[in-house]
Short mmCIF file of all heavy atoms in Angstrom, two decimals:
data_model
loop_
_atom_site.label_atom_id
_atom_site.label_comp_id
_atom_site.label_asym_id
_atom_site.label_seq_id
_atom_site.Cartn_x
_atom_site.Cartn_y
_atom_site.Cartn_z
N MET J 4 165.64 173.60 107.61
CA MET J 4 164.46 173.10 108.35
C MET J 4 163.56 174.31 108.58
O MET J 4 163.98 175.43 108.82
CB MET J 4 165.11 172.79 109.86
CG MET J 4 164.00 171.91 110.61
SD MET J 4 164.61 170.37 110.42
CE MET J 4 163.47 169.35 111.02
N THR J 5 162.22 174.12 108.41
CA THR J 5 161.39 175.23 108.53
C THR J 5 160.73 175.20 109.95
O THR J 5 160.78 174.22 110.73
CB THR J 5 160.09 174.89 107.59
OG1 THR J 5 159.46 173.65 107.95
CG2 THR J 5 160.60 175.05 106.06
N ASN J 6 160.24 176.39 110.33
CA ASN J 6 159.83 176.65 111.67
C ASN J 6 158.39 175.85 111.64
O ASN J 6 157.58 175.83 110.72
CB ASN J 6 159.43 178.15 111.76
CG ASN J 6 158.80 178.41 113.10
OD1 ASN J 6 158.35 177.59 113.82
ND2 ASN J 6 158.94 179.70 113.56
N LYS J 7 158.12 175.13 112.75
CA LYS J 7 156.81 174.31 112.89
C LYS J 7 155.60 175.11 112.59
O LYS J 7 154.69 174.71 112.11
CB LYS J 7 156.80 173.66 114.18
CG LYS J 7 157.82 172.47 114.26
CD LYS J 7 157.66 171.71 115.57
CE LYS J 7 158.66 170.67 115.70
NZ LYS J 7 158.40 169.61 116.64
N ALA J 8 155.69 176.40 113.01
CA ALA J 8 154.40 177.33 112.77
C ALA J 8 154.32 177.76 111.32
O ALA J 8 153.30 178.12 110.90
CB ALA J 8 154.49 178.51 113.69
N GLU J 9 155.39 177.77 110.55
CA GLU J 9 155.48 178.18 109.24
C GLU J 9 154.94 177.02 108.22
O GLU J 9 155.32 175.86 108.43
CB GLU J 9 156.88 178.41 108.79
CG GLU J 9 157.12 179.05 107.49
CD GLU J 9 158.49 179.25 107.19
OE1 GLU J 9 159.25 179.70 108.01
OE2 GLU J 9 158.95 179.12 105.94
N LYS J 10 154.01 177.44 107.45
CA LYS J 10 153.37 176.49 106.54
C LYS J 10 154.09 176.62 105.13
O LYS J 10 154.75 177.64 104.82
CB LYS J 10 151.93 176.73 106.33
CG LYS J 10 151.15 176.32 107.62
CD LYS J 10 149.66 176.35 107.19
CE LYS J 10 148.83 175.86 108.35
NZ LYS J 10 147.46 175.49 107.95
N ILE J 11 154.26 175.53 104.52
CA ILE J 11 154.82 175.39 103.19
C ILE J 11 153.77 175.72 102.11
O ILE J 11 152.66 175.09 102.22
CB ILE J 11 155.51 174.08 102.86
CG1 ILE J 11 156.51 173.76 103.87
CG2 ILE J 11 156.00 173.99 101.48
CD1 ILE J 11 156.95 172.26 103.82
N ARG J 12 153.90 176.81 101.35
CA ARG J 12 152.85 177.20 100.33
C ARG J 12 152.88 176.33 99.08
O ARG J 12 154.05 176.14 98.58
CB ARG J 12 153.16 178.61 99.91
CG ARG J 12 152.21 179.10 98.82
CD ARG J 12 152.38 180.42 98.37
NE ARG J 12 151.89 180.65 97.14
CZ ARG J 12 151.91 181.76 96.53
NH1 ARG J 12 152.45 182.88 96.93
NH2 ARG J 12 151.16 181.84 95.33
N LEU J 13 151.84 175.86 98.68
CA LEU J 13 151.68 175.19 97.37
C LEU J 13 150.49 175.87 96.59
O LEU J 13 149.56 176.47 97.32
CB LEU J 13 151.26 173.76 97.60
CG LEU J 13 152.23 172.73 98.14
CD1 LEU J 13 151.74 171.40 98.36
CD2 LEU J 13 153.59 172.76 97.45
N ASN J 14 150.73 176.02 95.40
CA ASN J 14 149.72 176.60 94.41
C ASN J 14 148.80 175.52 94.03
O ASN J 14 149.21 174.32 93.81
CB ASN J 14 150.32 177.42 93.32
CG ASN J 14 150.96 178.58 93.72
OD1 ASN J 14 150.93 179.01 94.79
ND2 ASN J 14 151.53 179.34 92.72
N ALA J 15 147.60 175.86 93.76
CA ALA J 15 146.52 174.89 93.26
C ALA J 15 145.94 175.37 91.85
O ALA J 15 145.40 176.48 91.89
CB ALA J 15 145.50 174.70 94.28
N GLU J 16 146.15 174.81 90.94
CA GLU J 16 145.75 175.01 89.52
C GLU J 16 144.73 174.11 89.17
O GLU J 16 144.80 172.91 89.06
CB GLU J 16 146.89 175.09 88.61
CG GLU J 16 146.44 175.18 87.04
CD GLU J 16 147.41 174.80 86.08
OE1 GLU J 16 148.49 174.17 86.55
OE2 GLU J 16 147.31 175.20 84.86
N TRP J 17 143.44 174.67 88.78
CA TRP J 17 142.33 173.73 88.32
C TRP J 17 142.63 173.27 86.91
O TRP J 17 142.93 174.00 85.96
CB TRP J 17 141.00 174.52 88.38
CG TRP J 17 139.94 173.70 87.76
CD1 TRP J 17 139.25 173.85 86.64
CD2 TRP J 17 139.22 172.50 88.45
NE1 TRP J 17 138.19 172.90 86.57
CE2 TRP J 17 138.23 172.12 87.67
CE3 TRP J 17 139.47 171.91 89.71
CZ2 TRP J 17 137.43 171.02 88.00
CZ3 TRP J 17 138.75 170.86 89.94
CH2 TRP J 17 137.71 170.41 89.22
N ILE J 18 142.53 171.86 86.69
CA ILE J 18 142.75 171.24 85.38
C ILE J 18 141.32 170.69 84.96
O ILE J 18 140.94 169.73 85.49
CB ILE J 18 143.74 170.17 85.55
CG1 ILE J 18 145.08 170.45 86.21
CG2 ILE J 18 143.98 169.39 84.20
CD1 ILE J 18 145.84 171.52 85.39
N GLY J 19 140.65 171.49 84.22
CA GLY J 19 139.21 171.03 83.78
C GLY J 19 138.99 169.74 83.26
O GLY J 19 138.30 169.08 83.61
N HIS J 20 139.93 169.27 82.28
CA HIS J 20 139.64 167.95 81.71
C HIS J 20 139.99 166.81 82.71
O HIS J 20 139.42 165.79 82.57
CB HIS J 20 140.52 167.81 80.45
CG HIS J 20 142.01 167.62 80.71
ND1 HIS J 20 142.83 168.79 80.91
CD2 HIS J 20 142.74 166.57 80.86
CE1 HIS J 20 144.07 168.30 81.08
NE2 HIS J 20 144.03 167.01 80.91
N MET J 21 140.64 167.10 83.77
CA MET J 21 140.88 166.02 84.87
C MET J 21 139.87 166.24 86.01
O MET J 21 139.83 165.40 86.87
CB MET J 21 142.28 166.14 85.34
CG MET J 21 143.29 165.81 84.31
SD MET J 21 144.99 165.99 84.88
CE MET J 21 145.16 164.62 86.17
N LYS J 22 139.19 167.45 86.04
CA LYS J 22 138.29 167.73 87.18
C LYS J 22 139.14 167.56 88.56
O LYS J 22 138.58 166.91 89.34
CB LYS J 22 137.07 166.80 87.17
CG LYS J 22 136.19 167.21 85.94
CD LYS J 22 134.92 166.54 85.99
CE LYS J 22 133.95 167.01 84.95
NZ LYS J 22 133.91 166.43 83.67
N ALA J 23 140.28 168.12 88.53
CA ALA J 23 141.13 168.00 89.76
C ALA J 23 142.10 169.27 89.73
O ALA J 23 142.25 169.95 88.81
CB ALA J 23 142.01 166.79 89.74
N TYR J 24 142.45 169.35 90.95
CA TYR J 24 143.58 170.50 91.08
C TYR J 24 144.91 169.96 91.01
O TYR J 24 145.11 168.91 91.57
CB TYR J 24 143.43 171.24 92.57
CG TYR J 24 142.23 172.06 92.60
CD1 TYR J 24 141.14 171.67 93.03
CD2 TYR J 24 142.41 173.42 92.26
CE1 TYR J 24 139.97 172.55 93.27
CE2 TYR J 24 141.31 174.31 92.37
CZ TYR J 24 140.08 173.91 92.84
OH TYR J 24 139.04 174.67 92.93
N ARG J 25 145.83 170.58 90.32
CA ARG J 25 147.24 170.19 90.36
C ARG J 25 147.96 171.11 91.36
O ARG J 25 147.85 172.30 91.30
CB ARG J 25 147.93 170.57 88.94
CG ARG J 25 149.32 170.12 88.80
CD ARG J 25 149.76 170.38 87.34
NE ARG J 25 150.19 171.77 87.25
CZ ARG J 25 151.32 172.30 87.52
NH1 ARG J 25 152.34 171.70 87.97
NH2 ARG J 25 151.62 173.63 87.33
N LEU J 26 148.68 170.50 92.27
CA LEU J 26 149.38 171.12 93.38
C LEU J 26 150.77 171.27 92.99
O LEU J 26 151.40 170.31 92.45
CB LEU J 26 149.19 170.37 94.61
CG LEU J 26 147.82 170.22 95.24
CD1 LEU J 26 147.82 169.48 96.66
CD2 LEU J 26 147.08 171.60 95.37
N TYR J 27 151.54 172.44 93.04
CA TYR J 27 152.82 172.63 92.79
C TYR J 27 153.52 173.63 93.70
O TYR J 27 152.77 174.50 94.16
CB TYR J 27 153.03 172.92 91.33
CG TYR J 27 152.49 174.32 90.90
CD1 TYR J 27 153.26 175.34 90.98
CD2 TYR J 27 151.20 174.30 90.49
CE1 TYR J 27 152.73 176.59 90.54
CE2 TYR J 27 150.58 175.61 90.17
CZ TYR J 27 151.39 176.66 90.16
OH TYR J 27 150.92 177.90 89.71
N ASP J 28 154.70 173.45 94.01
CA ASP J 28 155.47 174.60 94.73
C ASP J 28 155.74 175.73 93.69
O ASP J 28 156.28 175.45 92.56
CB ASP J 28 156.86 173.87 94.96
CG ASP J 28 157.62 174.91 95.82
OD1 ASP J 28 157.63 176.00 95.59
OD2 ASP J 28 158.45 174.27 96.83
N PRO J 29 155.32 176.97 94.11
CA PRO J 29 155.57 178.18 93.21
C PRO J 29 156.97 178.46 92.70
O PRO J 29 157.19 178.98 91.78
CB PRO J 29 154.93 179.28 93.99
CG PRO J 29 154.93 178.85 95.40
CD PRO J 29 154.86 177.35 95.38
N ARG J 30 157.95 177.90 93.51
CA ARG J 30 159.29 178.00 93.08
C ARG J 30 159.66 177.13 91.98
O ARG J 30 160.66 177.46 91.12
CB ARG J 30 160.28 177.79 94.17
CG ARG J 30 160.09 178.68 95.46
CD ARG J 30 160.91 178.24 96.61
NE ARG J 30 160.34 176.97 97.14
CZ ARG J 30 160.89 176.15 98.00
NH1 ARG J 30 161.94 176.55 98.57
NH2 ARG J 30 160.28 174.99 98.36
N TYR J 31 158.87 176.03 91.78
CA TYR J 31 159.14 175.08 90.67
C TYR J 31 157.79 174.73 89.97
O TYR J 31 157.30 173.57 90.12
CB TYR J 31 159.77 173.76 91.26
CG TYR J 31 161.02 173.93 92.18
CD1 TYR J 31 160.86 173.91 93.56
CD2 TYR J 31 162.24 174.38 91.55
CE1 TYR J 31 162.03 174.28 94.40
CE2 TYR J 31 163.31 174.69 92.51
CZ TYR J 31 163.28 174.64 93.76
OH TYR J 31 164.24 174.89 94.54
N PRO J 32 157.26 175.54 89.18
CA PRO J 32 155.94 175.38 88.69
C PRO J 32 155.79 174.21 87.77
O PRO J 32 154.76 173.72 87.59
CB PRO J 32 155.58 176.79 87.96
CG PRO J 32 156.90 177.54 87.71
CD PRO J 32 157.79 176.87 88.82
N GLN J 33 156.71 173.81 87.17
CA GLN J 33 156.66 172.74 86.15
C GLN J 33 156.71 171.37 86.91
O GLN J 33 156.32 170.40 86.34
CB GLN J 33 157.87 172.70 85.21
CG GLN J 33 157.85 173.93 84.28
CD GLN J 33 158.40 175.07 84.78
OE1 GLN J 33 159.15 175.21 85.95
NE2 GLN J 33 158.15 176.28 84.17
N GLN J 34 156.97 171.28 88.20
CA GLN J 34 156.99 170.08 89.02
C GLN J 34 155.67 169.88 89.81
O GLN J 34 155.53 170.65 90.81
CB GLN J 34 158.23 169.95 89.90
CG GLN J 34 159.50 170.03 89.24
CD GLN J 34 160.63 170.05 90.00
OE1 GLN J 34 160.52 169.92 91.31
NE2 GLN J 34 161.85 170.22 89.45
N THR J 35 154.82 168.94 89.37
CA THR J 35 153.67 168.71 90.02
C THR J 35 153.87 167.90 91.38
O THR J 35 154.55 166.89 91.34
CB THR J 35 152.63 167.86 89.13
OG1 THR J 35 152.37 168.68 87.97
CG2 THR J 35 151.39 167.53 89.88
N VAL J 36 153.27 168.31 92.46
CA VAL J 36 153.40 167.57 93.79
C VAL J 36 152.28 166.60 93.77
O VAL J 36 152.60 165.51 94.19
CB VAL J 36 153.24 168.67 94.90
CG1 VAL J 36 153.16 168.03 96.33
CG2 VAL J 36 154.44 169.67 94.86
N ALA J 37 151.17 166.91 93.52
CA ALA J 37 150.06 165.94 93.61
C ALA J 37 148.86 166.45 92.75
O ALA J 37 148.74 167.64 92.44
CB ALA J 37 149.61 165.75 95.04
N TYR J 38 147.75 165.66 92.44
CA TYR J 38 146.47 165.98 92.02
C TYR J 38 145.42 165.78 93.12
O TYR J 38 145.50 164.55 93.67
CB TYR J 38 146.12 165.28 90.73
CG TYR J 38 147.01 165.60 89.66
CD1 TYR J 38 148.19 164.94 89.29
CD2 TYR J 38 146.71 166.70 88.75
CE1 TYR J 38 149.01 165.26 88.19
CE2 TYR J 38 147.56 167.07 87.63
CZ TYR J 38 148.66 166.36 87.26
OH TYR J 38 149.56 166.78 86.38
N VAL J 39 144.49 166.64 93.37
CA VAL J 39 143.50 166.40 94.27
C VAL J 39 142.22 166.82 93.85
O VAL J 39 142.10 167.62 92.85
CB VAL J 39 143.75 167.13 95.61
CG1 VAL J 39 145.05 166.61 96.37
CG2 VAL J 39 143.98 168.60 95.49
N ASP J 40 141.03 166.22 94.36
CA ASP J 40 139.76 166.53 93.89
C ASP J 40 139.28 167.84 94.34
O ASP J 40 138.45 168.64 93.70
CB ASP J 40 138.75 165.49 94.29
CG ASP J 40 138.91 164.16 93.63
OD1 ASP J 40 139.40 164.11 92.42
OD2 ASP J 40 138.59 163.17 94.23
N SER J 41 139.73 168.27 95.58
CA SER J 41 139.42 169.56 96.16
C SER J 41 140.53 170.16 97.03
O SER J 41 141.33 169.31 97.59
CB SER J 41 138.04 169.49 96.99
OG SER J 41 138.33 168.75 98.17
N ILE J 42 140.57 171.52 97.23
CA ILE J 42 141.60 172.05 98.05
C ILE J 42 141.29 171.66 99.48
O ILE J 42 142.20 171.40 100.26
CB ILE J 42 141.71 173.52 97.91
CG1 ILE J 42 142.09 173.94 96.47
CG2 ILE J 42 142.54 174.20 98.87
CD1 ILE J 42 142.20 175.39 96.05
N GLU J 43 140.08 171.62 99.88
CA GLU J 43 139.55 171.22 101.22
C GLU J 43 140.22 169.77 101.56
O GLU J 43 140.58 169.48 102.65
CB GLU J 43 138.13 171.25 101.37
CG GLU J 43 137.57 172.59 101.25
CD GLU J 43 137.33 173.04 99.97
OE1 GLU J 43 137.38 172.28 98.95
OE2 GLU J 43 137.19 174.34 99.83
N GLU J 44 140.16 168.81 100.51
CA GLU J 44 140.72 167.50 100.68
C GLU J 44 142.18 167.54 101.12
O GLU J 44 142.68 166.93 101.98
CB GLU J 44 140.51 166.63 99.49
CG GLU J 44 141.18 165.36 99.48
CD GLU J 44 141.01 164.76 98.13
OE1 GLU J 44 140.07 164.74 97.46
OE2 GLU J 44 141.90 163.91 97.87
N ALA J 45 142.87 168.41 100.34
CA ALA J 45 144.37 168.54 100.57
C ALA J 45 144.74 169.20 101.83
O ALA J 45 145.51 168.70 102.47
CB ALA J 45 144.92 169.37 99.36
N GLU J 46 143.89 170.23 102.29
CA GLU J 46 144.18 170.92 103.57
C GLU J 46 143.84 169.87 104.72
O GLU J 46 144.66 169.84 105.71
CB GLU J 46 143.17 171.96 103.67
CG GLU J 46 143.59 173.26 102.84
CD GLU J 46 142.52 174.27 102.81
OE1 GLU J 46 141.32 174.08 103.15
OE2 GLU J 46 142.96 175.44 102.59
N ALA J 47 142.88 169.06 104.63
CA ALA J 47 142.54 167.99 105.58
C ALA J 47 143.73 166.85 105.76
O ALA J 47 144.02 166.59 106.89
CB ALA J 47 141.21 167.28 105.30
N GLU J 48 144.34 166.52 104.61
CA GLU J 48 145.22 165.46 104.59
C GLU J 48 146.62 166.01 104.97
O GLU J 48 147.48 165.39 105.52
CB GLU J 48 145.31 164.82 103.24
CG GLU J 48 144.03 163.98 102.99
CD GLU J 48 144.09 163.21 101.74
OE1 GLU J 48 145.17 163.07 101.12
OE2 GLU J 48 143.08 162.93 101.18
N HIS J 49 146.91 167.30 104.55
CA HIS J 49 148.27 167.86 104.75
C HIS J 49 148.22 169.37 105.36
O HIS J 49 148.32 170.17 104.72
CB HIS J 49 149.05 167.97 103.42
CG HIS J 49 149.19 166.60 102.91
ND1 HIS J 49 150.16 165.63 103.32
CD2 HIS J 49 148.52 165.85 101.84
CE1 HIS J 49 150.08 164.52 102.53
NE2 HIS J 49 149.14 164.67 101.64
N PRO J 50 147.87 169.41 106.68
CA PRO J 50 147.68 170.70 107.35
C PRO J 50 148.95 171.54 107.38
O PRO J 50 148.92 172.61 107.70
CB PRO J 50 147.13 170.44 108.64
CG PRO J 50 147.54 168.90 108.96
CD PRO J 50 147.58 168.31 107.49
N GLU J 51 150.14 170.80 107.17
CA GLU J 51 151.45 171.68 107.09
C GLU J 51 151.69 172.48 106.03
O GLU J 51 152.51 173.30 105.96
CB GLU J 51 152.51 170.57 107.32
CG GLU J 51 152.92 169.75 106.13
CD GLU J 51 151.89 168.46 105.85
OE1 GLU J 51 151.04 168.38 106.66
OE2 GLU J 51 152.34 167.69 105.15
N HIS J 52 150.80 172.30 104.98
CA HIS J 52 150.73 173.18 103.83
C HIS J 52 149.69 174.24 103.71
O HIS J 52 148.64 174.04 104.37
CB HIS J 52 150.62 172.39 102.51
CG HIS J 52 151.79 171.35 102.32
ND1 HIS J 52 151.69 170.11 102.65
CD2 HIS J 52 153.11 171.57 101.75
CE1 HIS J 52 152.79 169.43 102.36
NE2 HIS J 52 153.56 170.30 101.93
N SER J 53 149.96 175.31 103.07
CA SER J 53 148.84 176.32 102.76
C SER J 53 148.64 176.25 101.34
O SER J 53 149.56 176.06 100.59
CB SER J 53 149.16 177.74 103.28
OG SER J 53 150.28 178.23 102.60
N TYR J 54 147.48 176.55 100.83
CA TYR J 54 147.14 176.41 99.54
C TYR J 54 146.67 177.66 98.83
O TYR J 54 145.90 178.26 99.50
CB TYR J 54 146.12 175.23 99.19
CG TYR J 54 146.58 173.83 99.74
CD1 TYR J 54 146.39 173.48 101.00
CD2 TYR J 54 147.41 173.19 98.91
CE1 TYR J 54 146.93 172.29 101.50
CE2 TYR J 54 148.01 171.87 99.42
CZ TYR J 54 147.73 171.53 100.62
OH TYR J 54 148.27 170.39 101.18
N VAL J 55 147.12 178.09 97.66
CA VAL J 55 146.68 179.34 97.09
C VAL J 55 146.16 178.88 95.71
O VAL J 55 146.97 178.30 94.83
CB VAL J 55 147.83 180.30 96.85
CG1 VAL J 55 147.34 181.46 96.09
CG2 VAL J 55 148.43 180.64 98.23
N GLU J 56 144.98 179.23 95.45
CA GLU J 56 144.40 178.73 94.12
C GLU J 56 144.81 179.87 93.06
O GLU J 56 144.87 181.14 93.35
CB GLU J 56 142.87 178.73 94.13
CG GLU J 56 142.27 178.36 92.78
CD GLU J 56 140.69 177.98 93.00
OE1 GLU J 56 140.15 178.10 94.13
OE2 GLU J 56 140.17 177.65 91.83
N VAL J 57 145.37 179.55 91.88
CA VAL J 57 145.88 180.32 90.88
C VAL J 57 145.06 180.22 89.54
O VAL J 57 144.49 179.02 89.30
CB VAL J 57 147.35 180.14 90.72
CG1 VAL J 57 148.11 180.47 91.94
CG2 VAL J 57 147.67 178.78 90.21
N ASP J 58 145.10 181.16 88.85
CA ASP J 58 144.49 181.09 87.42
C ASP J 58 145.56 180.59 86.55
O ASP J 58 146.71 180.93 86.49
CB ASP J 58 144.26 182.58 86.98
CG ASP J 58 143.56 182.60 85.67
OD1 ASP J 58 143.39 181.68 85.01
OD2 ASP J 58 143.27 183.72 85.25
N ALA J 59 145.08 179.59 85.68
CA ALA J 59 146.02 178.75 84.87
C ALA J 59 146.78 179.84 83.84
O ALA J 59 147.89 179.53 83.53
CB ALA J 59 145.25 177.78 84.09
N ASP J 60 146.06 180.79 83.54
CA ASP J 60 146.65 181.82 82.63
C ASP J 60 147.86 182.66 83.17
O ASP J 60 148.68 183.19 82.41
CB ASP J 60 145.60 182.72 81.98
CG ASP J 60 144.66 182.00 81.10
OD1 ASP J 60 144.93 180.99 80.61
OD2 ASP J 60 143.45 182.50 80.99
N THR J 61 147.85 182.78 84.45
CA THR J 61 148.88 183.63 85.13
C THR J 61 149.72 182.74 85.98
O THR J 61 150.59 183.34 86.71
CB THR J 61 148.18 184.82 85.86
OG1 THR J 61 147.33 184.21 86.85
CG2 THR J 61 147.38 185.66 85.03
N MET J 62 149.64 181.53 85.98
CA MET J 62 150.35 180.70 87.02
C MET J 62 151.91 180.94 86.97
O MET J 62 152.63 180.71 88.01
CB MET J 62 149.99 179.24 87.00
CG MET J 62 150.47 178.52 85.68
SD MET J 62 150.12 176.81 85.76
CE MET J 62 151.62 176.24 86.24
N HIS J 63 152.46 181.29 85.84
CA HIS J 63 153.97 181.22 85.76
C HIS J 63 154.48 182.65 85.81
O HIS J 63 155.61 182.96 85.63
CB HIS J 63 154.41 180.66 84.45
CG HIS J 63 154.11 179.08 84.48
ND1 HIS J 63 154.66 178.29 85.40
CD2 HIS J 63 153.29 178.43 83.68
CE1 HIS J 63 154.27 176.93 85.07
NE2 HIS J 63 153.35 177.20 84.02
N VAL J 64 153.54 183.72 85.98
CA VAL J 64 153.91 185.10 86.14
C VAL J 64 154.32 185.43 87.59
O VAL J 64 153.62 185.18 88.58
CB VAL J 64 152.72 185.99 85.59
CG1 VAL J 64 153.14 187.43 85.85
CG2 VAL J 64 152.43 185.70 84.25
N GLU J 65 155.46 186.08 87.88
CA GLU J 65 155.98 186.44 89.06
C GLU J 65 155.97 188.00 89.17
O GLU J 65 156.43 188.59 88.19
CB GLU J 65 157.26 185.91 89.35
CG GLU J 65 157.24 184.40 89.58
CD GLU J 65 158.68 183.97 90.03
OE1 GLU J 65 159.41 184.64 90.57
OE2 GLU J 65 158.92 182.65 89.83
N CYS J 66 155.46 188.67 90.13
CA CYS J 66 155.44 190.04 90.23
C CYS J 66 156.42 190.46 91.24
O CYS J 66 156.39 189.85 92.40
CB CYS J 66 154.10 190.62 90.59
SG CYS J 66 152.85 190.09 89.38
N PHE J 67 157.21 191.38 91.02
CA PHE J 67 158.25 191.91 92.00
C PHE J 67 157.92 193.36 92.35
O PHE J 67 157.49 193.99 91.57
CB PHE J 67 159.71 191.75 91.33
CG PHE J 67 160.11 190.29 91.19
CD1 PHE J 67 159.88 189.79 89.86
CD2 PHE J 67 160.59 189.62 92.09
CE1 PHE J 67 160.32 188.41 89.71
CE2 PHE J 67 160.96 188.23 92.04
CZ PHE J 67 160.84 187.72 90.69
#
């Protein structure tokens, strides 16, 4: 169970040919959560999440 003040982070990758963002959990980058037209739309509909826009070329790179 997560703390109510803690937001669940989702990454947002721009998909040009779809003109939409692909939302995914950074722990499971191959599993798409949803597609949205804008990050603002996602924030308004699901305020329990925080969104981080990522570059498609580096989306699977983790830095430690």
Side-chain angles (χ1 to χ4, degrees):
M4 194 103 191
T5 60
N6 182 343
K7 289 187 180 189
E9 182 181 327
K10 290 190 174 199
I11 300 167
R12 175 186 162 177
L13 294 179
N14 286 0
E16 171 194 15
W17 177 250
I18 308 294
H20 70 276
M21 294 178 67
K22 295 187 169 86
Y24 285 94
R25 180 179 81 90
L26 303 180
Y27 65 92
D28 185 325
R30 297 172 298 172
Y31 309 101
Q33 291 81 15
Q34 297 179 7
T35 301
V36 174
Y38 292 95
V39 295
D40 293 332
S41 70
I42 294 174
E43 292 80 15
E44 172 188 329
E46 289 172 335
E48 291 181 19
H49 301 282
E51 70 276 10
H52 294 101
S53 64
Y54 301 92
V55 176
E56 188 170 354
V57 296
D58 181 3
D60 294 334
T61 59
M62 65 177 264
H63 299 294
V64 175
E65 292 185 23
C66 299
F67 296 96

